[in-house]
Amino acid sequence: MPPINPIIPGFAPDPSVALIDGTFYLVNSTFHMFPGIPIYTSQDLTQLSLGRAVTSMSVLPNMPAIEGKFLSTGGLYAPTIRHHRASNTTYIVCTNIVDGDESSGGGGFNFILSTKSIHAGGPWSDPVYFKFPGIDPSLFFDDDSGKVYLHGSAGPIRMFEIDLATGSAASPTRELWPGTGGVYPEGPHIYKKDGWFYLVIAEGGTESDRHMVTVARASSDSIWGPYESCPQNPVLTARGTGRYVNHLGHAELFQDAHGKWWGVCLGVRKRFDGDGKAARYVLGRETFLTTVEWLDGEWPVIHDIDVNLVLPNGDNDGGQTTTTTTTRSRAIGESDPSLGFLYIRDAILSNHVFSNDFKTVSLVPGKGDFSQWAEPITFVGKRQRQLEGSTSVSMSVTSRPPPYFSASAPDASGGHLEAGLAYFKDEYRHVRVFYDFFASTITFEWVNKAKDVAKTVTHLVSVHDVCHLRVDYTETAYTFSYRLDDAENSVSFEAVDTLHMTGLDFVGPVIGVFAIGTVQDSDDAAGKQFGVQFDNLVVE
């Protein structure tokens, strides 16, 4: 039996689930990456296939950043997926953070996507925007009244009645619950059960081991409350435990086709050093599954989350159980080989040209380097899904750049061209190995500006046809290497301790290929493009 947890390994925070006609649909945040909002489909939540909701950057405002802030703290936050049976319409509500400065008129754009063809993968509507001074929106359809409510995080949890067709408010916005006193009450979801409205939220900060799930409830006489706190709060947390699966929060509770309750939440696999002070959580926030016991009229009991999840096997009436004992993460099915690839918003997609079988990609160099946010970056990759694995690619160097590219010496009037393999989190944190087409050098570089650490090593090389690039990773180290032409042996650089890349991250690592180049501003350069070709890009 394949491993259960995490059910979505790698960069997969803020899960939300809907069961629609026997199929589970699960969505996650994507922040600064594109395409946005992955949609995982499954019959059992142990074998999942990948789709996506936001496939055109034109439907969302671009994502400028404020200098000195992380680009990865902007973008698409905490989507919620819900299905309205009466209209046979599936909705996703989400926040697009485009500017962290509310005083400048920026901040977040909250929006609604909808489709009547969820089983066919869409198409999804253009976004319908609505005003809400917060993040993490969620929907509740009240079948008794026919009303639709939008609730989200805005200091305390707040809510208003909404017209989904227009995004307009049909009631004032009112406070529901401030939580139990933990910082950042967020990620709210409302459920109606046994004469109660239950409000499940996260508190304590998603980046910390104080993260937790708490719940309150109000009588079904009024969805507006007052809400009373569960005496057993928090109902799920790993705070103060030192557990391997930690930072638990942002939970969604849901039923399967047999009426059994389940829960998903975000968490990190956190490996402590021997002294217990330093901790690595290499893949960032991932999606974990657990069982839930929710008796009539009682508070929900969310069982602890671990990599060794015990699941019912067979029928739903207390049959045998199966325990998974491996921690190696599952692969995510991709019926379309293009679905797993990610770009850095706001990419020029035409600069990334794939072959029909997606085994070869040609990148037109862009001016933007990783350490900035203003210019588009020519980069395409996939989420790192495994704690232990490798990524490899063969890069052609036989085609020389056109004459309008010139050496990158300080006195040159032209530009430069660098291309290679990169591990990318954001503009502050990345590792890469690349070939300089004019200097004939291989450079290895790792940067973490947030921790003020960096290292660069350059080798002068002679390569004629192809440069093979590779990164091998474990839970403790990333090791980059290269091999030239038909040489038997590879040259490895000093391994990067994963502690250097561990931080209070919203995002997880994406590994792929890039090309950076600038050209002379001349008539000779007009209309010319040069593509760096990469073959056999394999991300395990």
Side-chain angles (χ1 to χ4, degrees), residues 202-247:
E203 299 181 57
T206 186
E207 300 164 316
S208 77
D209 60 5
R210 297 182 300 276
H211 207 205
M212 57 185 172
V213 178
T214 58
V215 59
R217 69 182 183 184
S219 168
S220 61
D221 293 337
S222 175
I223 193 172
W224 301 103
Y227 282 83
E228 61 170 318
S229 178
C230 173
Q232 289 78 42
N233 275 328
V235 293
L236 179 67
T237 189
R239 62 182 183 177
T241 65
R243 291 177 185 168
Y244 182 53
V245 182
N246 216 301
H247 296 204

Coordinates of all heavy atoms in Angstrom, one line a residue, residues 202-247:
A202 N -7.8 28.7 12.1 CA -6.4 28.5 12.5 C -6.0 29.7 13.4 O -6.5 30.8 13.1 CB -5.5 28.3 11.3
E203 N -5.1 29.4 14.3 CA -4.5 30.5 15.1 C -3.0 30.2 15.3 O -2.6 29.1 15.1 CB -5.2 30.6 16.5 CG -6.7 30.9 16.4 CD -7.2 31.1 17.8 OE1 -6.7 31.9 18.6 OE2 -8.2 30.3 18.2
G204 N -2.3 31.2 15.8 CA -0.9 31.0 16.3 C 0.2 31.3 15.2 O 1.3 31.3 15.6
G205 N -0.2 31.5 14.0 CA 0.8 31.8 13.0 C 1.2 30.6 12.2 O 1.8 29.7 12.8
T206 N 1.0 30.6 10.9 CA 1.2 29.4 10.1 C 2.7 29.0 10.0 O 3.0 27.9 9.7 CB 0.6 29.7 8.7 OG1 0.8 28.5 7.9 CG2 1.4 30.8 8.0
E207 N 3.6 30.0 10.3 CA 5.0 29.7 10.2 C 5.6 29.1 11.4 O 6.8 28.9 11.5 CB 5.7 31.0 9.8 CG 5.3 31.6 8.5 CD 5.7 33.1 8.3 OE1 5.6 33.8 9.3 OE2 6.2 33.4 7.3
S208 N 4.8 28.9 12.5 CA 5.4 28.6 13.8 C 4.9 27.3 14.4 O 3.8 26.8 13.9 CB 5.2 29.7 14.8 OG 3.9 29.7 15.2
D209 N 5.6 26.8 15.4 CA 5.1 25.6 16.1 C 4.0 25.9 17.0 O 3.5 25.1 17.8 CB 6.2 24.9 16.8 CG 7.0 25.7 17.8 OD1 6.5 26.8 18.1 OD2 8.0 25.2 18.4
R210 N 3.5 27.2 17.1 CA 2.4 27.6 17.9 C 1.1 27.5 17.0 O 0.0 27.7 17.6 CB 2.5 29.0 18.4 CG 3.7 29.2 19.3 CD 3.8 30.6 19.9 NE 3.9 31.6 18.8 CZ 5.1 31.9 18.3 NH1 6.2 31.3 18.7 NH2 5.2 32.8 17.3
H211 N 1.2 27.1 15.8 CA 0.0 27.0 14.9 C -0.9 25.9 15.5 O -0.5 24.9 16.0 CB 0.5 26.6 13.5 CG -0.4 27.0 12.4 ND1 -0.5 26.4 11.2 CD2 -1.3 28.1 12.4 CE1 -1.4 27.0 10.5 NE2 -1.9 28.0 11.1
M212 N -2.2 26.2 15.3 CA -3.2 25.3 15.9 C -4.6 25.5 15.2 O -4.8 26.5 14.5 CB -3.4 25.6 17.4 CG -3.8 27.0 17.8 SD -3.8 27.3 19.6 CE -4.0 29.1 19.6
V213 N -5.4 24.5 15.4 CA -6.8 24.5 14.9 C -7.7 24.7 16.1 O -7.6 23.9 17.1 CB -7.2 23.3 14.2 CG1 -8.6 23.3 13.7 CG2 -6.2 23.1 13.0
T214 N -8.6 25.7 16.1 CA -9.6 25.9 17.1 C -11.0 25.9 16.5 O -11.2 26.1 15.3 CB -9.3 27.2 17.9 OG1 -9.3 28.3 17.0 CG2 -8.0 27.1 18.6
V215 N -12.0 25.8 17.4 CA -13.4 25.7 16.9 C -14.3 26.4 17.9 O -14.1 26.4 19.1 CB -13.8 24.2 16.7 CG1 -13.7 23.4 17.9 CG2 -15.2 24.2 16.1
A216 N -15.3 27.0 17.3 CA -16.4 27.6 18.1 C -17.7 27.3 17.5 O -17.8 26.8 16.3 CB -16.2 29.1 18.2
R217 N -18.8 27.5 18.2 CA -20.1 27.2 17.6 C -21.2 28.1 18.1 O -21.1 28.7 19.1 CB -20.5 25.7 17.9 CG -20.9 25.4 19.3 CD -21.2 23.9 19.4 NE -21.7 23.6 20.8 CZ -21.9 22.3 21.2 NH1 -21.8 21.3 20.4 NH2 -22.3 22.1 22.5
A218 N -22.2 28.2 17.2 CA -23.4 29.0 17.5 C -24.6 28.2 17.2 O -24.6 27.3 16.4 CB -23.4 30.3 16.7
S219 N -25.7 28.6 17.9 CA -27.0 27.9 17.6 C -27.4 28.1 16.2 O -27.1 29.2 15.6 CB -28.0 28.5 18.6 OG -29.3 28.0 18.2
S220 N -28.1 27.1 15.6 CA -28.5 27.2 14.3 C -29.6 28.2 14.1 O -30.1 28.5 13.0 CB -29.1 25.8 13.8 OG -30.2 25.4 14.6
D221 N -30.0 28.9 15.2 CA -31.0 30.0 15.1 C -30.4 31.2 14.4 O -31.1 32.0 13.9 CB -31.5 30.4 16.5 CG -32.4 29.3 17.1 OD1 -32.9 28.4 16.4 OD2 -32.5 29.3 18.4
S222 N -29.0 31.3 14.5 CA -28.4 32.5 14.0 C -26.9 32.2 13.6 O -26.1 31.9 14.5 CB -28.4 33.7 14.9 OG -27.6 34.8 14.4
I223 N -26.6 32.3 12.3 CA -25.3 32.0 11.8 C -24.3 33.2 12.3 O -23.1 33.0 12.4 CB -25.2 31.9 10.3 CG1 -23.9 31.4 9.8 CG2 -25.5 33.3 9.7 CD1 -23.8 31.1 8.3
W224 N -24.9 34.3 12.7 CA -24.1 35.4 13.2 C -23.6 35.2 14.6 O -22.8 36.0 15.1 CB -24.9 36.7 13.1 CG -25.4 37.0 11.7 CD1 -26.6 36.8 11.2 CD2 -24.6 37.5 10.6 NE1 -26.7 37.2 9.9 CE2 -25.4 37.6 9.5 CE3 -23.3 37.9 10.5 CZ2 -25.0 38.1 8.2 CZ3 -22.8 38.4 9.2 CH2 -23.7 38.5 8.2
G225 N -24.1 34.2 15.3 CA -23.6 34.0 16.6 C -24.6 34.5 17.7 O -25.7 34.8 17.4
P226 N -24.1 34.5 18.9 CA -22.7 34.5 19.4 C -22.1 33.1 19.3 O -22.8 32.1 19.4 CB -22.8 35.0 20.8 CG -24.2 34.6 21.3 CD -25.1 34.7 20.1
Y227 N -20.8 33.1 19.1 CA -20.0 31.8 19.0 C -19.3 31.6 20.3 O -18.6 32.4 20.9 CB -19.0 31.9 17.9 CG -19.7 31.7 16.5 CD1 -20.3 32.7 15.8 CD2 -19.7 30.4 15.9 CE1 -20.9 32.5 14.6 CE2 -20.3 30.2 14.7 CZ -20.9 31.2 14.1 OH -21.5 31.0 12.8
E228 N -19.5 30.3 20.8 CA -18.8 29.9 22.1 C -17.7 29.0 21.7 O -17.7 28.2 20.8 CB -19.8 29.2 23.0 CG -20.4 27.9 22.4 CD -21.1 27.1 23.4 OE1 -20.6 26.9 24.5 OE2 -22.2 26.5 23.0
S229 N -16.6 29.2 22.5 CA -15.3 28.4 22.2 C -15.4 27.0 22.7 O -16.0 26.8 23.8 CB -14.2 29.1 22.8 OG -13.0 28.4 22.6
C230 N -14.9 26.1 22.0 CA -14.8 24.7 22.4 C -14.0 24.5 23.7 O -12.9 25.1 23.7 CB -14.3 23.8 21.3 SG -14.0 22.1 21.8
P231 N -14.5 23.9 24.7 CA -13.7 23.7 25.9 C -12.4 23.0 25.7 O -11.4 23.1 26.5 CB -14.6 22.9 26.9 CG -16.0 23.1 26.3 CD -15.8 23.3 24.8
Q232 N -12.3 22.2 24.7 CA -11.1 21.4 24.4 C -10.1 22.1 23.4 O -9.2 21.4 23.0 CB -11.5 20.0 23.8 CG -12.1 19.1 24.8 CD -13.6 19.4 25.1 OE1 -14.3 19.7 24.1 NE2 -14.0 19.3 26.3
N233 N -10.3 23.3 23.1 CA -9.4 24.0 22.2 C -8.0 24.1 22.8 O -7.8 24.2 24.0 CB -9.9 25.5 22.0 CG -10.9 25.6 20.9 OD1 -10.9 24.8 19.9 ND2 -11.9 26.5 21.0
P234 N -7.0 23.9 21.9 CA -7.1 23.7 20.5 C -7.5 22.2 20.2 O -7.0 21.3 20.9 CB -5.7 24.0 19.9 CG -4.8 23.7 21.1 CD -5.6 24.1 22.3
V235 N -8.2 22.0 19.1 CA -8.6 20.6 18.8 C -7.6 19.9 17.9 O -7.7 18.7 17.8 CB -10.0 20.7 18.0 CG1 -11.1 21.1 19.0 CG2 -10.0 21.5 16.8
L236 N -6.6 20.6 17.4 CA -5.5 20.0 16.7 C -4.3 21.0 16.8 O -4.4 22.2 16.5 CB -5.8 19.8 15.3 CG -4.7 19.1 14.4 CD1 -4.4 17.7 14.9 CD2 -5.0 19.1 13.0
T237 N -3.2 20.5 17.3 CA -1.9 21.2 17.3 C -0.8 20.3 17.5 O -0.9 19.2 18.0 CB -2.0 22.4 18.3 OG1 -0.8 23.2 18.2 CG2 -2.0 21.8 19.8
A238 N 0.4 20.8 17.2 CA 1.7 20.1 17.6 C 2.6 21.0 18.4 O 3.8 20.7 18.6 CB 2.4 19.6 16.4
R239 N 2.0 22.1 18.9 CA 2.8 23.1 19.6 C 3.5 22.5 20.9 O 2.8 21.7 21.6 CB 2.0 24.3 19.9 CG 0.9 24.0 20.9 CD 0.1 25.3 21.2 NE -1.0 25.1 22.1 CZ -1.8 26.0 22.6 NH1 -1.7 27.2 22.2 NH2 -2.8 25.7 23.5
G240 N 4.7 22.8 21.0 CA 5.4 22.3 22.2 C 5.7 20.9 22.3 O 6.1 20.4 23.3
T241 N 5.5 20.1 21.2 CA 5.7 18.7 21.2 C 7.0 18.2 20.6 O 7.5 17.1 21.0 CB 4.6 18.0 20.4 OG1 4.7 18.3 19.0 CG2 3.2 18.4 21.0
G242 N 7.6 19.0 19.7 CA 8.8 18.5 19.0 C 8.5 17.4 18.0 O 9.4 16.7 17.6
R243 N 7.2 17.2 17.7 CA 6.9 16.1 16.7 C 7.5 16.4 15.3 O 7.7 17.5 14.9 CB 5.4 16.0 16.6 CG 4.7 15.5 17.9 CD 3.2 15.5 17.6 NE 2.5 15.1 18.9 CZ 1.2 15.2 19.0 NH1 0.4 15.7 18.1 NH2 0.6 14.8 20.2
Y244 N 7.7 15.3 14.6 CA 8.2 15.4 13.3 C 7.2 16.2 12.4 O 7.6 17.0 11.6 CB 8.5 14.0 12.7 CG 9.0 14.0 11.3 CD1 10.2 14.7 11.0 CD2 8.5 13.2 10.3 CE1 10.7 14.7 9.7 CE2 9.0 13.2 9.0 CZ 10.1 13.9 8.7 OH 10.7 13.9 7.5
V245 N 5.9 15.8 12.4 CA 4.9 16.6 11.7 C 4.5 17.7 12.6 O 3.8 17.5 13.6 CB 3.8 15.7 11.2 CG1 2.8 16.5 10.4 CG2 4.3 14.5 10.4
N246 N 4.8 19.0 12.2 CA 4.6 20.1 13.1 C 3.9 21.3 12.3 O 3.6 21.1 11.2 CB 6.0 20.5 13.6 CG 5.9 21.0 15.1 OD1 5.1 21.9 15.4 ND2 6.6 20.3 16.0
H247 N 3.8 22.4 13.0 CA 3.1 23.6 12.5 C 1.7 23.3 12.0 O 1.3 23.9 11.0 CB 4.0 24.2 11.3 CG 5.3 24.6 11.8 ND1 6.1 25.6 11.0 CD2 6.1 24.3 12.8 CE1 7.2 25.8 11.6 NE2 7.3 25.0 12.7

